[in-house]
Amino acid sequence: MSKPSEKKSKRRAKREAKLKSRQMKSRIRLALPNYTIENNDGASQRVIDAIQDAMGMLTKAPEFSAKHICDLETAKALGFYKTERGPYWWSMNLGYILHRILAEMLDVATRRRINVDLHCGLDRPGTIRVEIQQLRQVKRNIFCSPKLPTIKLPSGENIVAYYFFDDDHFVRRLEERTVAAPDHYLSKGQVFACLYRWQYFDPVRLPNGQYAARLWNWCDPKLDIGELWMELAGPDKEVATIWQNGVQFVVRNGVRAHYLVGYCPIDERDISNGYVVLKTLLLPGMDNTPEFAKMQTHAKDTVARCNLQKEAAKLTMKHLYEHRNYDLIREFHRFSPQVKFIDEEVFDYGVNWKSE
């Protein structure tokens, strides 16, 4: 026979499970008629008006209610980002739809320097919190994060800014090395987060004597390529994965691992009025990178060196995910670290990670 304490525990667990189920069903039934806008970066009235119009469509149309969007068959038919049930993916699907609507309301130049995040009803049921993030314009086609990150060069410390070409060259290169599916809604947000929150720009001298900003991104062990990050992080028994604020990291003695994104060459002409303007991104192994200089000594002839550059150009996340050929990155890691433990905050998330 079960002890009385065991019976009480089972009854308590059953009541808690029922309560949790009722709360979840209640959230999914909500149509979220209300929303609030957080405009901390001073987005223009034109942007706010477009977002308000788009949110009006989302919150008033019954087909965009939580119950409708979380229906698996409906979600598949509409091509939503994810079809899993629950408030989290409902939020993702709403954001996906919002960005599709804004694509018809705002020009490309405006869309590429703003990001809109939706936070749906978990902390405040019945309300969507719309957060607008925007890069600050320095000059025509030159933008920087409102957090004003800096890089220290021999000439002094300057604020880092980005040059947006008409063909989005810099952003496309950044997409290649940070996300596997650049056209996805979440991928766009991840790339924008790099531009918006990067605060650690590692100065390094390239083989031709020119300085560059070396960019690092955190190693996510959940991704398919996570096995490579763990391998390059080293066989040290102290290397582990931990969760902090809902994000998983590779760490050693509390220090997080980051992989090398690439190099942004800095010309003297790119430094003026206290700003350093980054215009392009060289992938590891491309001409004039430390990896290329080291590997040249191992290349037997000109043909071998040309093949090296062609292979280096394939080191995009999309190519790595599809082919899972990590040999070249492993080879580069012998000469120049491709994964590094950085005891500084690479991104400014407004969270004191070490205090947790």
Side-chain angles (χ1 to χ4, degrees):
M1 293 180 65
S2 301
K3 296 179 180 179
S5 59
E6 292 180 354
K7 290 183 178 180
K8 287 182 179 180
S9 297
K10 289 181 179 178
R11 286 197 297 268
R12 187 185 304 113
K14 194 173 182 179
R15 285 197 305 270
E16 291 176 352
K18 284 184 177 180
L19 177 61
K20 188 175 181 180
S21 176
R22 283 199 302 268
Q23 290 174 340
M24 182 63 71
K25 289 178 180 178
S26 175
R27 286 170 178 168
I28 291 180
R29 281 197 301 268
L30 288 172
L32 288 183
N34 303 315
Y35 67 90
T36 61
I37 293 181
E38 291 183 5
N39 180 22
N40 299 324
D41 296 328
S44 68
Q45 191 60 46
R46 184 168 64 91
V47 170
I48 295 175
D49 289 343
I51 291 174
Q52 287 178 332
D53 290 343
M55 290 304 300
M57 296 173 61
L58 287 180
T59 55
K60 294 175 182 176
E63 63 267 27
F64 293 142
S65 68
K67 185 177 180 181
H68 191 78
I69 286 181
C70 289
D71 177 75
L72 302 189
E73 294 304 319
T74 302
K76 289 178 182 177
L78 294 176
F80 289 161
Y81 180 77
K82 284 284 186 179
T83 57
E84 284 86 343
R85 297 182 187 275
Y88 176 74
W89 291 118
W90 173 27
S91 172
M92 293 297 100
N93 288 338
L94 281 175
Y96 175 74
I97 301 167
L98 176 63
H99 278 253
R100 285 170 55 182
I101 296 173
L102 290 177
E104 300 178 3
M105 295 182 170
L106 298 172
D107 58 274
V108 176
T110 301
R111 294 202 313 272
R112 67 189 178 192
R113 65 173 185 266
I114 68 168
N115 185 59
V116 183
D117 278 339
L118 297 186
H119 307 274
C120 294
L122 290 180
D123 52 344
R124 295 172 59 192
T127 301
I128 306 175
R129 181 164 59 88
V130 185
E131 182 183 4
I132 307 174
Q133 299 169 333
Q134 177 172 282
L135 296 178
R136 179 181 297 182
Q137 187 167 17
V138 180
K139 291 182 180 179
R140 185 177 180 273
N141 292 337
I142 299 178
F143 299 87
C144 72
S145 167
K147 300 177 182 294
L148 303 179
T150 61
I151 183 172
K152 292 182 179 179
L153 298 170
S155 58
E157 187 171 4
N158 296 274
I159 298 171
V160 176
Y162 313 102
Y163 191 94
F164 284 77
F165 292 90
D166 291 336
D167 61 354
D168 280 349
H169 167 79
F170 180 79
V171 176
R172 284 190 292 106
R173 273 286 169 82
L174 187 58
E175 288 175 342
E176 289 176 355
R177 281 292 286 175
T178 53
V179 294
D183 294 329
H184 276 195
Y185 155 62
L186 282 185
S187 297
K188 295 291 184 183
Q190 290 170 7
V191 173
F192 182 88
C194 289
L195 298 172
Y196 188 84
R197 300 190 181 278
W198 250 326
Q199 67 175 13
Y200 177 77
F201 294 88
D202 188 12
V204 62
R205 178 164 272 182
L206 299 177
N208 67 353
Q210 184 180 13
Y211 274 92
R214 186 164 48 179
L215 305 182
W216 301 89
N217 195 13
W218 61 284
C219 296
D220 187 347
K222 301 190 305 300
L223 302 179
D224 293 343
I225 200 173
E227 60 187 272
L228 175 64
W229 304 148
M230 293 296 292
E231 174 191 331
L232 299 185
D236 196 328
K237 293 181 180 179
E238 295 178 346
V239 175
T241 61
I242 64 169
W243 287 87
Q244 291 179 316
N245 253 48
V247 182
Q248 193 173 20
F249 296 100
V250 178
V251 300
R252 183 177 63 194
N253 296 326
V255 180
R256 294 189 294 277
H258 296 76
Y259 74 88
L260 178 61
V261 175
Y263 306 86
C264 297
I266 298 172
D267 192 276
E268 289 184 1
R269 293 168 294 181
D270 300 330
I271 304 175
S272 65
N273 299 323
Y275 288 90
V276 169
V277 182
L278 307 183
K279 295 182 177 179
T280 189
L281 176 71
L282 301 179
L283 276 58
M286 285 187 168
D287 191 17
N288 197 32
T289 62
E291 292 82 2
F292 180 75
K294 294 285 186 182
M295 293 291 287
Q296 273 195 103
T297 59
H298 297 266
K300 297 180 180 179
D301 49 35
T302 304
V303 174
R305 287 194 289 272
C306 289
N307 289 336
L308 171 62
Q309 288 198 69
K310 290 179 181 178
E311 291 301 311
K314 295 179 182 178
L315 292 182
T316 64
M317 282 297 171
K318 186 175 186 296
H319 189 272
L320 291 173
Y321 270 68
E322 290 176 350
H323 299 277
R324 293 175 177 266
N325 186 351
Y326 307 143
D327 291 343
L328 189 57
I329 295 181
R330 292 189 181 100
E331 189 69 17
F332 287 163
H333 191 67
R334 293 174 51 207
F335 307 109
S336 181
Q338 301 299 295
V339 170
K340 180 180 177 181
F341 289 92
I342 301 175
D343 195 15
E344 292 188 43
E345 295 296 345
V346 174
F347 295 96
D348 179 6
Y349 282 107
V351 176
N352 185 4
W353 302 101
K354 295 183 179 181
S355 67
E356 299 180 2

